[in-house]
Amino acid sequence: MDKIFDFDSISEKYKDAKLLCGEKVLKVNDWTVDSRKVTKDVGFVACVGHQLDGRQFIHDAVANGACIVICEANDLSETVACDLAQLSITVVLIHDLNQRLSALASLFYDNPSEKLNVIGVTGTNGKSSCVQMLAQTIQTIDKCCWTMGTLGCGAYGAQVSNENTTADAITIQKELNKAVESGCGNSAMEVSSHGLVQGRIDAVSFDIAVFTNLTHEHLDYHETMDAYGLAKRRLFLFENLKWVVINVDDKFGRKLKKDIEIKARKIFVSAKQPSEGADLSQWVWVENIQLNQKGIQADVFTPWGEGKIKVPLVGRFNINNILSVVAVLGIKLGNVQKVLEAVNQVTSVAGRMQFIREKGQPSIIVDYAHTPDALEQALLAIRDHCTGKIITVFGCGGDRDPAKRPIMAKVAEKYSNAVLFTDDNPRTEDPYSIIEQMRTGLKSPDRVTYIQDRKEAIVEASKLASSDDIILVAGKGHEDYQIIGTKKFHLSDVELAREVLKERAA
């Protein structure tokens, strides 16, 4: 894509930037923070991360063809600086590189977010669903919406998978630039608390920010719910933000509603009627909710008019997600009928309360629920649609927040007729240790069986089920892999569920 790097323009912005060696102006094909992705004429940015110091991979990047290295200057030893000065390429030192990287990356790619309508969605649960539904609906109106998040990056329907909910600062700007170059006028992206705290989106110009909810998650990183909430709040304080859409059925959402430091215009969404005296020009809400085999139906009221929602989605919690989509589209279109024409065409998101059916067999729902609240909401949603038993199959990921493990087990036991534990992504932890921590949350641990292999666990669950029952397979959703140790193996709950039902029906 040939971008011009001009050191003088960088040094004007960052006075302490230092050209250690090489050319002041050069063409750069692309940029990356991953030395393994460096090819000829690609720029390598050597940051000091939370787990790795990118500076130790500089020589690998050069060997792979890097034409320029931008290096974190903080705590750089004289020995390393002298070594870098001997390289035959351009080397630039910049202090506090992590904090400045989003702005630098925006410059590298010619400030792409300023050429798009960018919608950021944050919250513990519902980010993926909201982003995917926004992309679905926007594409029926504006032809193209570029997405970024758990389900990947790219134009809706053609996303390429990625590892993090919120990518690194360079990848974010690169993807926004791809959106611009492809002719997309819109981008909807998931914004994680990690991405906010680590400044990965600092230079993104958001038009609309959406808050879904705040529940127990990532306390291994944030330590307290207060710190977690403050991390999410950062998105709503962005300087050029025009609108915020807030789920006020959530406790933290109600705090954001009253937050006077949020200067953007606020729209509140709720599954309840606003209290008397509320300014209805700020509210989107529903009445007469019906949950049935066809999905969700309700009367919706907005500042732009009223109408009926009829969507083939499972779960009361999806009401707030749909209302957030209605609010965003209402802001964009200002016409409720056009909004509902688009919204009522949405389909379920891959791995999010996704029904797997085979005639005469129990239904299996595959869902990404991997937090206590998400699991509870999924089980409550299934109860609204299920006349038989609920059987839950799930595990907890290794090397992730251990505090939620007994809580999730408690939730599964409370809302299910039967529970089977299985492996999620054990990563480098002992799977049996994870299960034992889960068991501490159970009232009747002897009634819960652990079957390590996920397919075998689903098979066993199907033996307990009749045609009126629903089996929830939770935790991995859209993921098509399992991480054991440090290796990834192909595994898809959707594929396994289909195999099990077909084998049972044969």
Side-chain angles (χ1 to χ4, degrees), residues 174-471:
K174 184 187 303 186
E175 289 295 328
L176 292 171
N177 184 63
K178 287 180 184 177
V180 172
E181 292 183 340
S182 71
C184 272
N186 306 278
S187 178
M189 63 183 292
E190 297 177 46
V191 181
S192 69
S193 55
H194 293 68
L196 283 159
V197 170
Q198 294 168 15
R200 297 182 219 160
I201 58 161
D202 281 358
V204 176
S205 180
F206 288 98
D207 295 276
I208 303 172
V210 178
F211 173 76
T212 60
N213 51 59
L214 189 79
T215 64
H216 185 118
E217 176 69 317
H218 301 309
L219 297 194
D220 54 331
Y221 182 83
H222 296 290
E223 296 186 353
T224 68
M225 286 298 292
D226 284 344
Y228 183 31
L230 288 173
K232 296 290 188 187
R233 178 177 177 265
R234 292 184 183 205
L235 178 61
F236 304 95
L237 302 178
F238 272 45
E239 186 176 352
N240 296 318
L241 188 62
K242 299 178 181 70
W243 292 86
V244 297
V245 175
I246 302 170
N247 170 21
V248 294
D249 290 343
D250 178 87
K251 183 179 178 181
F252 191 75
R254 292 190 289 275
K255 284 187 178 181
L256 294 176
K257 176 179 180 287
K258 299 174 183 177
D259 195 329
I260 61 174
E261 292 187 34
I262 297 174
K263 303 303 180 185
R265 296 177 67 182
K266 296 175 181 176
I267 293 288
F268 311 122
V269 302
S270 176
K272 306 167 190 172
Q273 187 175 355
S275 58
E276 188 174 346
D279 180 357
L280 299 186
S281 69
Q282 291 185 282
W283 285 80
V284 174
W285 78 96
V286 286
E287 298 178 12
N288 303 318
I289 298 168
Q290 297 177 50
L291 304 176
N292 51 44
Q293 293 289 342
K294 295 181 179 179
I296 299 169
Q297 298 182 31
D299 297 324
V300 63
F301 301 85
T302 82
W304 312 282
E306 58 189 66
K308 279 194 174 293
I309 290 173
K310 296 179 181 179
V311 292
L313 302 178
V314 176
R316 190 172 292 271
F317 63 87
N318 260 320
I319 294 170
N320 293 89
N321 293 336
I322 283 290
L323 289 179
S324 293
V325 174
V326 168
V328 171
L329 294 184
I331 291 167
K332 288 176 65 65
L333 298 175
N335 182 310
V336 76
Q337 295 311 316
K338 289 183 179 179
V339 169
L340 294 178
E341 283 175 17
V343 167
N344 287 336
Q345 294 180 53
V346 301
T347 56
S348 61
V349 177
R352 302 303 194 273
M353 298 301 283
Q354 183 176 353
F355 260 106
I356 312 296
R357 293 185 174 99
E358 188 78 24
K359 188 175 180 180
Q361 302 301 320
S363 296
I364 298 179
I365 290 179
V366 173
D367 191 69
Y368 189 53
H370 61 285
T371 69
D373 180 72
L375 185 60
E376 180 173 352
Q377 294 302 320
L379 288 166
L380 288 172
I382 292 170
R383 178 49 64 203
D384 286 332
H385 297 262
C386 179
T387 58
K389 300 191 299 293
I390 299 174
I391 302 163
T392 300
V393 179
F394 84 111
C396 289
D399 302 334
R400 298 293 187 270
D401 186 2
K404 68 182 181 182
R405 295 170 185 171
I407 304 172
M408 290 186 70
K410 181 179 180 180
V411 167
E413 184 180 44
K414 180 178 180 180
Y415 295 106
S416 309
N417 299 97
V419 178
L420 289 90
F421 287 164
T422 188
D423 282 1
D424 190 279
N425 293 319
R427 298 185 178 87
T428 62
E429 277 196 74
D430 176 10
Y432 292 93
S433 175
I434 294 172
I435 297 300
E436 287 309 306
Q437 290 176 51
M438 292 169 65
R439 285 191 182 282
T440 62
L442 298 172
K443 285 185 178 179
S444 303
D446 293 341
R447 295 182 59 190
V448 176
T449 303
Y450 168 48
I451 301 175
Q452 190 165 24
D453 182 88
R454 282 183 84 84
K455 182 176 180 180
E456 289 181 15
I458 298 170
V459 168
E460 193 61 32
S462 73
K463 292 177 182 177
L464 303 174
S466 64
S467 59
D468 293 332
D469 300 337
I470 293 179
I471 300 166

Side-chain angles (χ1 to χ4, degrees), residues 129-137 313 318 321-322 325 346 349:
S129 294
C130 283
V131 163
Q132 297 303 307
M133 287 190 286
L134 280 167
Q136 280 188 48
T137 53
L313 302 178
N318 260 320
N321 293 336
I322 283 290
V325 174
V346 301
V349 177

